[in-house]
Amino acid sequence: MSFAKPIVLGNWKMNGLKSEGLALAGALAEKATKPSGTLGVFPPATLIDSVRRRLEGTEILVGGQDCHDRNSGAFTGSISPLMLADCGAEIVLIGHSERRHGLNEDDDLIARKVHAALGAGLDVVLCVGETEDEYLSGKQQERLRVQLAAAVPEIAGSDNFLVAYEPVWAIGTGRTPSVDEIGATHGFIRERLAELVSSAPAMGILYGGSVKPSNASEILLIPDVDGVLIGGASLDANDFWSIYAAGGGT
């Protein structure tokens, strides 16, 4: 699919029972029957099917927060990309820092997940970002270079692949890089993508990390920032919509 801008995606993380998820989806459905940009939500796996049904008639994407790198097998507790597609997911987050650092997922595993997801017909949001130690020691660009080179396949295109830059030290902390830092980093990511895929100029690059209504407008005006991936603010329909509207979405 094509990703019209602004691209605003909400990662609900491990939040929401069925009643809460349906209420949030319903509030979004009332606001966005035909969004001018791209809106998407990533509910817990238990809610994907019910949220998808609640959002029928809108153009809001529903995605998974992760997938396995195999389509089936003896992997207790895991969800395959085919299973996500089967329950109505259209897109999947891969490589989020909470999986890279909380669950020790390395670049090789993330690359395998990307290939599996694309092979199952899912669009992919590849999350990349540096830790605070890497940021302070000047190793940010090298870390991003390695993450991108490992996990952006030749078949990645602007119609099936997004990159989300999320500095690990900014996620959920209330801290954000400066406007100049975000712009420079997104420019660097665009340059590295151009070394990997021909679709780099049109590929959407999102910023994530303590995005909220109060700073969304400033962030979404930065060159090479095509949208945002938000966490906590996506659990409030009004905040989520405010961020989308800040980027010119209607």
Side-chain angles (χ1 to χ4, degrees):
M1 64 165 292
S2 63
F3 298 100
K5 301 170 187 176
I7 305 164
V8 177
L9 307 179
N11 176 15
W12 295 1
K13 305 189 180 184
M14 196 175 71
N15 293 292
L17 301 181
K18 189 172 183 179
S19 60
E20 298 163 331
L22 288 176
L24 179 53
L28 291 176
E30 291 176 2
K31 294 177 178 291
T33 54
K34 291 190 178 295
S36 58
T38 301
L39 283 171
V41 295
F42 296 80
T46 53
L47 299 182
I48 290 174
D49 180 63
S50 54
V51 167
R52 178 191 62 82
R53 292 175 185 273
R54 183 63 184 86
L55 291 175
E56 282 181 347
T58 76
E59 296 179 8
I60 301 175
L61 300 175
V62 179
Q65 297 178 11
D66 181 57
C67 68
H68 200 272
D69 66 325
R70 300 279 291 275
N71 283 327
S72 63
F75 305 105
T76 301
S78 297
I79 299 172
S80 80
L82 282 181
M83 290 173 176
L84 287 179
D86 186 54
C87 70
E90 303 166 85
I91 190 168
V92 61
L93 297 176
I94 296 178
H96 192 280
S97 70
E98 289 161 3
R99 299 199 64 87
R100 288 182 187 265
H101 301 288
L103 296 171
N104 299 315
E105 295 193 357
D106 61 20
D107 291 325
D108 289 340
L109 174 57
I110 289 162
R112 295 198 303 272
K113 289 185 175 188
V114 167
H115 282 277
L118 291 173
L122 295 170
D123 296 335
V124 167
V125 182
L126 173 68
C127 301
V128 298
E130 79 283 358
T131 65
E132 185 165 27
D133 286 345
E134 290 165 338
Y135 172 71
L136 294 174
S137 62
K139 297 178 180 177
Q140 176 208 47
Q141 290 192 352
E142 180 56 28
R143 183 68 191 113
L144 294 175
R145 187 193 306 273
V146 169
Q147 290 174 333
L148 293 167
V152 179
E154 291 183 2
I155 60 173
S158 60
D159 60 345
N160 67 356
F161 205 89
L162 299 168
V163 174
Y165 167 59
E166 294 192 301
V168 178
W169 50 273
I171 298 173
T173 65
R175 301 162 58 198
T176 57
S178 70
V179 167
D180 289 343
E181 286 178 308
I182 294 172
T185 303
H186 277 239
F188 175 81
I189 291 172
R190 183 85 64 194
E191 291 172 0
R192 300 291 74 75
L193 287 173
E195 299 172 353
L196 301 170
V197 291
S198 60
S199 60
M203 187 173 286
I205 304 176
L206 315 180
Y207 172 76
S210 295
V211 179
K212 45 191 177 290
S214 61
N215 63 14
S217 180
E218 183 178 49
I219 290 171
L220 286 164
L221 286 174
I222 300 171
D224 283 317
V225 174
D226 301 306
V228 289
L229 174 62
I230 55 181
S234 68
L235 298 174
D236 183 295
N238 290 325
D239 284 353
F240 185 72
W241 187 258
S242 293
I243 291 170
Y244 178 62
T250 59

